[in-house]
Amino acid sequence: MSRPDHMDVAAYALGVLDEQDTERFEEHLATCWACAAELETMVPVVGLLSDIDGETMMALEQTATDPALLDRTLGAVRADRRRTRFRHMLATAAAVVVFGGLSGYGFVSVTGNDQPPGVLAESTPSAPNDPPTSVPTAAPSGPGVGGTEVEGDQVEATDPTTGVQTTMFLVTKDYGTRINFSLRKLPGPRICRLVVVRKNATTEVISTWSVPDGGYGTNTRPQGLELSASTSALPKDIKQLQVQSVDANGVASPLVTVPM
């Protein structure tokens, strides 16, 4: 590599090379550790030079033959730089104060407290959570759900053969009984129905639905199925509730039975 390539470090650092020479030098810099090291040492110098304006440079040139005047000029430059740094610090501090005040005001406004801006509301200990109960935290949200209140007597069952699980809530109404129920471990595809078996041996189909390939509450589809249905029978007249699977020929087989 020619010597002029190694002598372009200062010109490159000061940004005085034209576009063609800049590209040539950058190609040289990528393979020359000596120039890279020299360029790194020049970065602080370039930063200092960037703070000196043209008027200052002219003044320095005029004082080259007068050491006393040169000392006074350099002293003035240093003092000006100190004032500039001090102004920067004041501006930064003011920005921090303003931002902090706005942040405090925003926090108070969002939390809805009446305290003045800049004062953060003290945190208060939250009330202990009630232990979980067997009553669901929300009304069933699946197909056919009616009403939003959570109430009723809870009954659960798991069939030892099919593995289907159900939780039912029986709500006594003037017209009979509303049944909110959920199903899990229910494979598909299939057609299902909910049957009420009364104590007088009569039966009533009160709901039917289809189950897709993935089923409900399974590994393929972890979310269970939630439904709601009604019957004219009162809870005291119901012997059992049974979820059945119905094949293509209309033959029903029990999936899970809930005794009452």
Side-chain angles (χ1 to χ4, degrees), residues 152-155 169-179 196-199 231-241 258-260:
D153 298 325
Q154 178 179 343
V155 289
F169 294 87
L170 279 68
V171 184
T172 302
K173 296 292 184 179
D174 293 338
Y175 56 77
T177 305
R178 189 181 74 237
I179 303 171
V196 175
V197 181
R198 295 182 176 87
K199 292 180 179 179
T231 174
S232 60
L234 294 172
K236 64 183 181 63
D237 298 325
I238 300 175
K239 179 181 179 180
Q240 64 183 27
L241 299 167
V258 181
M260 302 295 292

Side-chain angles (χ1 to χ4, degrees), residues 23-227:
E23 293 180 358
R24 177 185 55 77
F25 180 76
E26 288 179 347
E27 293 177 357
H28 166 73
L29 187 65
T31 58
C32 181
W33 64 267
C35 287
E38 184 178 356
L39 178 62
E40 183 177 0
T41 62
M42 295 191 67
V43 171
V45 178
V46 174
L48 292 175
L49 292 176
S50 64
D51 292 335
I52 301 178
D53 54 21
E55 294 181 359
T56 303
M57 291 295 296
M58 293 177 61
L60 291 176
E61 291 178 358
Q62 295 173 0
T63 57
T65 58
D66 188 347
L69 182 57
L70 176 60
D71 290 340
R72 290 196 299 272
T73 302
L74 291 177
V77 171
R78 286 193 292 267
D80 182 71
R81 288 179 180 172
R82 285 196 297 270
R83 287 194 296 271
T84 300
R85 287 196 294 268
F86 182 69
R87 287 195 296 268
H88 287 170
M89 287 189 294
L90 287 180
T92 303
V96 171
V97 171
V98 172
F99 179 77
L102 291 177
S103 300
Y105 179 78
F107 178 82
V108 173
S109 298
V110 171
T111 54
N113 292 328
D114 295 331
Q115 300 178 6
V119 180
L120 299 181
E122 296 182 358
S123 60
T124 56
S126 58
N129 293 330
D130 293 331
T133 65
S134 58
V135 179
T137 57
S141 57
V145 170
T148 58
E149 71 266 29
V150 179
E151 58 180 333
D153 298 325
Q154 178 179 343
V155 289
E156 298 180 344
T158 300
D159 190 279
T161 302
T162 64
V164 176
Q165 302 172 356
T166 184
T167 300
M168 298 187 177
F169 294 87
L170 279 68
V171 184
T172 302
K173 296 292 184 179
D174 293 338
Y175 56 77
T177 305
R178 189 181 74 237
I179 303 171
N180 298 325
F181 62 103
S182 63
L183 293 165
R184 300 169 300 281
K185 308 297 183 183
L186 179 62
R190 66 181 66 242
I191 300 297
C192 295
R193 67 186 186 184
L194 178 62
V195 178
V196 175
V197 181
R198 295 182 176 87
K199 292 180 179 179
N200 61 6
T202 60
T203 61
E204 178 187 6
V205 177
I206 62 172
S207 181
T208 61
W209 64 92
S210 62
V211 180
D213 292 342
Y216 290 101
T218 62
N219 292 334
T220 304
R221 182 185 299 205
Q223 183 177 3
L225 174 65
E226 296 180 339
L227 295 171

